[in-house]
Structure formats: structure tokens, C-alpha cells
Amino acid sequence: MSPHTLPLSRGLGTLLTRMKLRRCQSVGAAPTVLGRVWIHGPGEIRLGDRVVLDGRVAPIELHAMQGGSIVLGDDVAIEGGASLEALQSITVGTGARLGAFCKVLDNQHHPLRGNRHERPPSVPLVIEEGVTVGSRAILLPGSHVQKGTTVAPGTVISRRIPPGVTVGGSPARVLRKEVAG
């Protein structure tokens, strides 16, 4: 391999990543996009530094509707099949990890009872720094997962989760509290 091949391939990878992220309002330094990423909607999508979107297994979907925003902090990693849908606001903190096929949404899109054609109000969703969300977990409108929490695979969250715990189940319940050491 010649010494000129490596910088060229690195430059081509950077160009392809930037092209895949062209619909984002802002993209931080050194993003990595592997596989497919679908970016939809007229809302704002902002990515921090060193964000990794690994859509090799299945496409990652980032969908921000008119007036909505999705903000991914520095060092966030999202695995394939994950879907983030914002009518108002989804914020993912620094160093958070979202597992494969997890679903994060700030609106139910229709009420469970009554007029199913009415859209309920959106409630901002926050995932704080250092959170790990397992595969196939669902975070519903109004969820607030606090710093350092681990969400087990398949968990359904619809409320505020305290910091530094492990939650699991449907609905989510605390399985383990972090022991200070």
C-alpha cells in the first residue's frame, strides 16, 4: 500500500459521511457514519463531535418534524435500526449509547382513547450523559433518563428515571442501584 492511499481513503470516507449528513443543521468534528442513515423532516438535527451512527445492520432514522429538534451530544453512539422521531425535542447527552432497534419518540402520534385523528401534545424527551439504552428499548414522550443510567434491552420508559441505576421491564422499574465505592 502506498503512503498516498491511506489519506485518500480517509478523505473519501469523510466526504461520504458529510454527504450522508448533509441535511443536518450542524455536524461536529469527526463524525462516523457506517451503513445507512435516513434523515427526514424539515426540523433541526444537530450532531456533536465524534458521533458514531452505525447503520450497517439496519438503517438509522432521524426524523425531526417542522419545529422539532434532535440534538446528539459529543461521543454519542447509535446502533442500527434505531429510530428517533421528534415533533418538539429529543436531546441525547454526551457519551450516551443507543442500542439496536431502540425507539425514541416525543409524541404518541394519536391518543389511545377517544378521537384517534387528534394529535396529542408533544413532551420533550431527554437522555442525559453517560446513559446506555439497550436494544429494542422504547422511550416514550416525557421520558427523562438521568446521568449514568443503564436501560435493559426491551424496556419501556415513560417517566423520569433516577441517575446511576439499572432499569428494566415494561413498564420500567429499578432493578439495581449503583453502589458508591
Side-chain angles (χ1 to χ4, degrees), residues 62-81:
L62 303 175
H63 190 142
M65 297 291 281
Q66 181 69 41
S69 71
I70 297 174
V71 177
L72 305 179
D74 297 341
D75 302 309
V76 168
I78 301 178
E79 293 181 26

Side-chain angles (χ1 to χ4, degrees), residues 21-107:
L21 299 175
R22 69 187 176 275
R23 298 196 63 212
C24 295
Q25 276 61 40
S26 69
V27 177
T32 302
V33 176
L34 305 168
R36 296 170 290 167
V37 174
W38 297 340
I39 299 174
H40 303 289
E44 289 188 357
I45 298 175
R46 300 186 181 283
L47 278 56
D49 296 337
R50 299 169 305 281
V51 169
V52 176
L53 303 173
D54 187 355
R56 290 179 291 189
V57 172
I60 294 170
E61 182 177 19
L62 303 175
H63 190 142
M65 297 291 281
Q66 181 69 41
S69 71
I70 297 174
V71 177
L72 305 179
D74 297 341
D75 302 309
V76 168
I78 301 178
E79 293 181 26
S83 175
L84 285 75
E85 300 176 27
L87 282 171
Q88 185 177 6
S89 171
I90 294 175
T91 305
V92 180
T94 301
R97 305 281 184 255
L98 301 181
F101 299 100
C102 68
K103 183 94 167 156
V104 179
L105 45 112
D106 73 348
N107 190 291

Side-chain angles (χ1 to χ4, degrees), residues 138-155:
I138 301 171
L139 280 71
L140 297 171
S143 298
H144 187 136
V145 185
Q146 293 183 327
K147 183 178 181 180
T149 295
T150 300
V151 177
T155 301

